[in-house]
């Protein structure tokens, strides 16, 4: 009792380090790169990790870019599949509204009966 312990709290690093070393990013440099042009030297997150692991990640980025180019999110010619899903959605909403109205018709009578008992 009565003893005092003094210690210094280490300062937090300026940038978070996920794995490897902190790589400073010059001001004004864009972080976004074309996935087909991705290399280890233009992706700051890959700098400072083992070379084999970084090469594997770059290879996966290239595979994803080729897949995205092959299957665009909104192709030029789309089949009319959306009409069937829209009709199914409207039918489901109509069934829910009909069921709510149908089953709510007897609520007042039921509450009156419960109140009289």
């Amino acid at each position: 009792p009565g003893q005092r312990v003094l210690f210094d709290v280490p300062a937090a690093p300026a940038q978070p380090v996920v794995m490897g070393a902190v790589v400073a990013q010059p001001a004004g440099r864009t972080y976004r790169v074309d996935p087909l042009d991705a290399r280890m030297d233009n992706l700051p997150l890959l700098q400072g990790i083992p070379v084999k692991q970084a090469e594997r990640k770059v290879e996966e980025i290239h595979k994803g870019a080729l897949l995205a180019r092959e299957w665009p999110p909104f192709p030029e010619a789309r089949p009319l599949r959306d009409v069937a899903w829209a009709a199914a959605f409207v039918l489901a909403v109509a069934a829910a509204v009909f069921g709510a109205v149908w089953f709510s018709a007897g609520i007042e009578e039921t509450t009156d009966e419960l109140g009289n008992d």
Side-chain angles (χ1 to χ4, degrees):
Q3 294 179 351
R4 204 180 263 190
V5 177
L6 298 176
F7 62 92
D8 292 329
V9 177
Q15 295 178 349
V17 179
V18 177
M19 180 181 225
V22 175
V23 178
Q25 180 133 351
R29 182 176 171 194
T30 59
Y31 182 73
R32 174 90 173 118
V33 295
D34 182 17
L36 287 174
D37 297 330
R39 297 181 315 274
M40 287 184 348
D41 61 340
N42 65 359
L43 291 173
L45 288 176
L46 297 181
Q47 297 173 4
I49 64 172
V51 176
K52 276 192 166 188
Q53 188 177 6
E55 288 174 348
R56 221 175 29 242
K57 289 181 184 285
V58 169
E59 186 179 321
E60 290 298 322
I61 290 170
H62 289 164
K63 285 180 187 177
L66 292 173
L67 188 64
R69 186 165 284 177
E70 183 182 341
W71 296 97
F74 294 105
E76 295 289 328
R78 276 178 65 118
L80 295 176
R81 292 186 204 140
D82 298 335
V83 175
W85 287 109
F89 177 76
V90 169
L91 185 64
V93 169
V97 170
F98 176 76
V101 170
W102 179 269
F103 289 111
S104 67
I107 290 179
E108 188 175 339
E109 297 170 5
T110 306
T111 54
D112 287 343
E113 290 174 10
L114 292 175
N116 291 334
D117 288 342

